[in-house]
Amino acid sequence: MSPDFSNVSLVILFPFLGFLVQALFGKAIIDTLGTKIGRTVCGALAVLPIFASFLIGLGLTGQLANLGEESRSAIVTFFDWITLKSISIPFELRVDPLSMTMVLIITGIGSLIHLYAMGYMSDERDYARFFTYMNLFVTAMLILVLGNNLVLTFMGWEGVGLCSYLLIGFWYKDVANSKAANKAFIVNRIGDWGFTLGMFGIVVLMAANRGSLGITDSRWLSFDIILPYAHQILENHPAWATGIALLLFVGAMGKSAQYPLAIWLPDAMAGPTPVSALIHAATMVTSGIYLLTRMSEWFVASPLAMAVVAGVGALTALIGAITAFGQTDIKKVLAYSTVSQLGYMFIGCGVGAFYAGMFHVVTHAFFKALLFLGAGAVIHAMAHDQDMRNYGGLWKKVPITFWTMVAGWGAIAGIPWLFSGFWSKEAILGTAVNSENPYGFAGLTVGAWAGWVGFGVAFLTACYMTRMMILTFAGKEQRWRIAHAVEHAHDDHGHAHAADHHEDHAGHELSPIFFASTAEAEAEQLALQEDHHHHLDEHHEPHEVPPVMWMPLVVLAIFSLGWFGYLLYESPQFSLEHWLGFAHGHGEEGHHGPVSHTTLLLISAVTSLGGIALAFALYWKKLPEREGWDMAKWNPVQRFVGGRGIDITGFSLSVGNMLGSLSKAFDATIDFVVNGVGMVSKGLGGVGRLVQTGYVRAYALLMQIGVILLVGYVILTIMMRGMQ
């Protein structure tokens, strides 16, 4: 019986229907059934479509797995979408191991995050609006990974950009949240510029070479056309190969937050915690890795572009890890850890180990979703206070949250063999250290440098994540009982700093500019006063989250353990390298090199355990004074990378300003040339207008002058020859 992939459209259709139901009927359902039952029904109608897509994706993956390795790809075309004279872009979906891997991550983890959100957002007034955006987000992400051409991918690309803007700015009445949403939207547009130009470059190359290669299919942007011909086209156009690969990488930098375009991701914490989990774990930030893996044939054609990808990934991993040490907001620590882990994934792609990059996408999706949802459970238990300096000794208060987060911590810290992150990180760094590339310095290739930097980042990651766990869960001090007094005894900035770290999902400071009239502002103020407000003080008693919130934590924790990483790395049946089809291609570059596998494993173990040991030595006894509420006593370096208003993102802003200045200079140069050409043309036109009077006598006069000049020239020439 031949496989049937025609129902792949349902994978997208179900979340889209969920979006329509939430948008059109969500509020009516809540108003009709009452707040409690209505929100439960509304939430269930948001979760079920995502879970249904997961089940369909599971079935499609099973059919795919039963086929031979060479046959695991199918194109399902639905209708002609865009047709120009010589190019056609149908609405077509692609079912292959890469797309289905992403589908299972997006819908599987996405449905868990939706389930968690039913509890986390239960007090939210705009409950239906939240799930409207969430369902639409998942729809756009599925279009991105299932589209069989770059235009459909770009359509999903823009869709997740729009939804991230809506979700990050969900509490739009807070000016800071609105600014964070705007920043994410604008920075991503810079990446889109690169993606678009890269796509145009591919069209130009395909059009220029279709005759010589005998390409008769007009679907020039479809993956089943551009990937098989990539090598033939690019081997004679190295400059084009580098240019297109770098432009596509700029697009990936925007979506996957690589420096200098990483500045939007930490600010994305302005959205509700489930949004942070969805963006950081299962969807948007992995788009760039997906794009590079999908277009791997076009990247390997340019060693220079590969070196740039690895170098930028290493730089991003290092900056993200260092910056995490300066954070006291538990979500900000996780945000910078995401930036750092994304750098790992790009290192993998940059050294040709695309499967290793995707491997880390898979394990990271589980343990990062777990860490964010766990952080949300802590925030929920701590009256929505996000400052780790106000925590301490919580492991007895929230035991389920604690033990599940231990699994996430072990995975991201890379504890050897016991947790999934160890296996995927080892796959990337082991390949990078032994990678080959013509570009390098001091006797090492760029990839090797990136690998060694990655080991240093692994040490830092183990240290700052252990710091987060100790400050949150360990110790005998329950610091929230003394934080209020300490804050008032101290500074004028500590209190403000703590206030910044308070996620108030019930209401926000009144911002008159968002209201059309004074009456509306007064009505909003009254509504805010009626809301249930949380207060963290010495009398607060933390409590465990309800089952709807801790059940997803348990599932994610199980998949963050070492057995999952081992299966995807070592198991012949479930090896991700074989599943994605890289086992016999460029995915194996650097597996065998000067540094042995045993040595690499030993280095991985030492960096991970060393970082954990250092953190225990620094933070186990109590909150160090140099990281307490009084930031004046902080280490200058930590104050620089994490203090209020002194953020490392200033580096990115400086680069952005520099790029802006260069852009202005470029614009001015272009304007000067264009205006100059216009002025010269205008001047010549003016001269021409003097002689184009329309009077016959004027033309006769000009002819006479011309004849006189011509005769004079002839006479002068004859005289000159006579003199010779």
Side-chain angles (χ1 to χ4, degrees), residues 210-503:
R210 60 173 177 158
S212 59
L213 297 178
I215 303 174
T216 55
D217 197 322
S218 59
R219 297 177 302 121
W220 295 349
L221 287 175
S222 295
F223 294 128
D224 58 312
I225 301 297
I226 61 177
L227 295 181
Y229 288 105
H231 177 71
Q232 292 172 270
I233 294 174
L234 296 177
E235 65 178 351
N236 297 322
H237 303 85
W240 277 88
T242 300
I244 290 173
L246 289 179
L247 286 170
L248 293 177
F249 178 55
V250 170
M253 288 169 70
K255 275 289 181 289
S256 295
Q258 297 295 288
Y259 280 95
L261 301 184
I263 56 176
W264 67 271
L265 191 58
D267 287 350
M269 297 299 99
T273 297
V275 172
S276 306
L278 193 64
I279 290 177
H280 284 247
T283 54
M284 184 169 169
V285 297
T286 60
S287 303
I289 314 298
Y290 167 78
L291 179 66
L292 263 63
T293 306
R294 176 63 78 196
M295 298 294 290
S296 58
E297 302 288 346
W298 287 68
F299 276 86
V300 295
S302 170
L304 175 59
M306 295 287 279
V308 170
V309 172
V312 171
L315 178 68
T316 301
L318 183 61
I319 294 177
I322 293 173
T323 312
F325 277 99
Q327 308 305 313
T328 57
D329 183 323
I330 188 171
K331 285 177 65 179
K332 283 286 185 72
V333 174
L334 296 177
Y336 281 104
S337 77
T338 300
V339 173
S340 189
Q341 298 301 307
L342 289 169
Y344 274 125
M345 299 170 201
F346 277 100
I347 291 174
C349 294
V351 298
F354 292 95
Y355 90 90
M358 280 302 302
F359 185 13
H360 205 53
V361 166
V362 176
T363 59
H364 179 264
F366 284 94
F367 67 71
K368 186 48 63 70
L370 169 62
L371 288 169
F372 262 113
L373 297 186
V378 171
I379 294 167
H380 185 273
M382 296 301 288
H384 291 266
D385 190 290
Q386 298 176 205
D387 195 328
M388 296 185 298
R389 295 171 298 182
N390 295 334
Y391 296 168
L394 287 179
W395 76 275
K396 289 183 179 178
K397 303 286 184 181
V398 288
I400 299 175
T401 300
F402 167 68
W403 286 111
T404 52
M405 281 193 76
V406 165
W409 160 76
I412 195 171
I415 293 178
W417 298 286
L418 301 179
F419 297 94
S420 62
F422 165 77
W423 299 97
S424 54
K425 197 177 294 185
E426 200 280 328
I428 291 174
L429 299 183
T431 309
V433 167
N434 290 320
S435 65
E436 297 177 358
N437 190 292
Y439 298 95
F441 54 97
L444 291 177
T445 66
V446 172
W449 274 109
W452 290 117
V453 169
F455 277 116
V457 172
F459 176 84
L460 297 175
T461 303
C463 190
Y464 74 72
M465 287 303 299
T466 307
R467 166 182 177 263
M468 187 197 81
M469 293 295 288
I470 292 176
L471 294 183
T472 302
F473 294 106
K476 296 180 180 178
E477 278 187 334
Q478 298 177 340
R479 292 189 296 277
W480 69 91
R481 302 195 190 282
I482 60 173
H484 187 68
V486 173
E487 284 175 10
H488 280 79
H490 277 304
D491 60 329
D492 36 18
H493 55 255
H495 184 76
H497 190 65
D500 274 356
H501 293 168
H502 187 264
E503 184 182 82

Side-chain angles (χ1 to χ4, degrees), residues 14-337:
F14 279 131
F16 183 71
L17 289 175
F19 151 71
L20 291 178
V21 168
Q22 297 292 327
L24 299 176
F25 309 111
K27 188 174 185 304
I29 291 172
I30 294 173
D31 291 343
T32 304
L33 300 178
T35 302
K36 187 175 181 180
I37 298 176
R39 288 183 178 180
T40 302
V41 172
C42 198
L45 291 175
V47 175
L48 289 175
I50 312 298
F51 187 65
S53 292
F54 171 74
L55 294 178
I56 295 171
L58 206 58
L60 293 171
T61 304
Q63 292 187 61
L64 212 58
N66 290 327
L67 299 176
E69 287 188 24
E70 302 299 326
S71 307
R72 290 174 182 169
S73 177
I75 312 300
V76 182
T77 304
F78 293 92
F79 53 86
D80 292 333
W81 183 26
I82 301 172
T83 302
L84 300 175
K85 283 188 176 179
S86 55
I87 181 172
S88 67
I89 303 169
F91 193 96
E92 54 185 357
L93 302 181
R94 184 180 185 88
V95 181
D96 69 2
L98 179 58
S99 64
M100 296 318 298
T101 301
M102 290 298 296
V103 164
L104 293 181
I105 293 174
I106 296 164
T107 55
I109 296 180
S111 58
L112 290 173
I113 293 173
H114 275 68
L115 179 64
Y116 175 95
M118 285 180 63
Y120 194 85
M121 302 298 287
S122 59
D123 292 337
E124 180 57 50
R125 288 196 303 275
D126 289 330
Y127 195 79
R129 181 166 66 88
F130 175 79
F131 282 112
T132 299
Y133 297 161
M134 291 283 277
N135 274 194
L136 185 61
F137 195 115
V138 172
T139 304
M141 193 66 203
L142 290 170
I143 292 173
L144 193 159
V145 300
L146 281 172
N148 183 50
N149 55 62
L150 280 170
V151 179
L152 264 176
T153 300
F154 190 71
M155 180 180 165
W157 194 271
E158 291 303 291
V160 295
L162 169 65
C163 294
S164 67
Y165 168 76
L166 296 172
L167 285 167
I168 294 170
F170 179 73
W171 292 316
Y172 60 89
K173 293 175 184 175
D174 189 307
V175 175
N177 292 354
S178 298
K179 287 183 176 178
N182 288 340
K183 181 190 283 188
F185 191 79
I186 293 168
V187 172
N188 271 280
R189 297 294 75 73
I190 298 174
D192 295 347
W193 167 84
F195 192 149
T196 308
L197 288 184
M199 200 159 45
F200 286 155
I202 292 172
V203 171
V204 171
L205 268 188
M206 294 296 293
N209 292 277
R210 60 173 177 158
S212 59
L213 297 178
I215 303 174
T216 55
D217 197 322
S218 59
R219 297 177 302 121
W220 295 349
L221 287 175
S222 295
F223 294 128
D224 58 312
I225 301 297
I226 61 177
L227 295 181
Y229 288 105
H231 177 71
Q232 292 172 270
I233 294 174
L234 296 177
E235 65 178 351
N236 297 322
H237 303 85
W240 277 88
T242 300
I244 290 173
L246 289 179
L247 286 170
L248 293 177
F249 178 55
V250 170
M253 288 169 70
K255 275 289 181 289
S256 295
Q258 297 295 288
Y259 280 95
L261 301 184
I263 56 176
W264 67 271
L265 191 58
D267 287 350
M269 297 299 99
T273 297
V275 172
S276 306
L278 193 64
I279 290 177
H280 284 247
T283 54
M284 184 169 169
V285 297
T286 60
S287 303
I289 314 298
Y290 167 78
L291 179 66
L292 263 63
T293 306
R294 176 63 78 196
M295 298 294 290
S296 58
E297 302 288 346
W298 287 68
F299 276 86
V300 295
S302 170
L304 175 59
M306 295 287 279
V308 170
V309 172
V312 171
L315 178 68
T316 301
L318 183 61
I319 294 177
I322 293 173
T323 312
F325 277 99
Q327 308 305 313
T328 57
D329 183 323
I330 188 171
K331 285 177 65 179
K332 283 286 185 72
V333 174
L334 296 177
Y336 281 104
S337 77

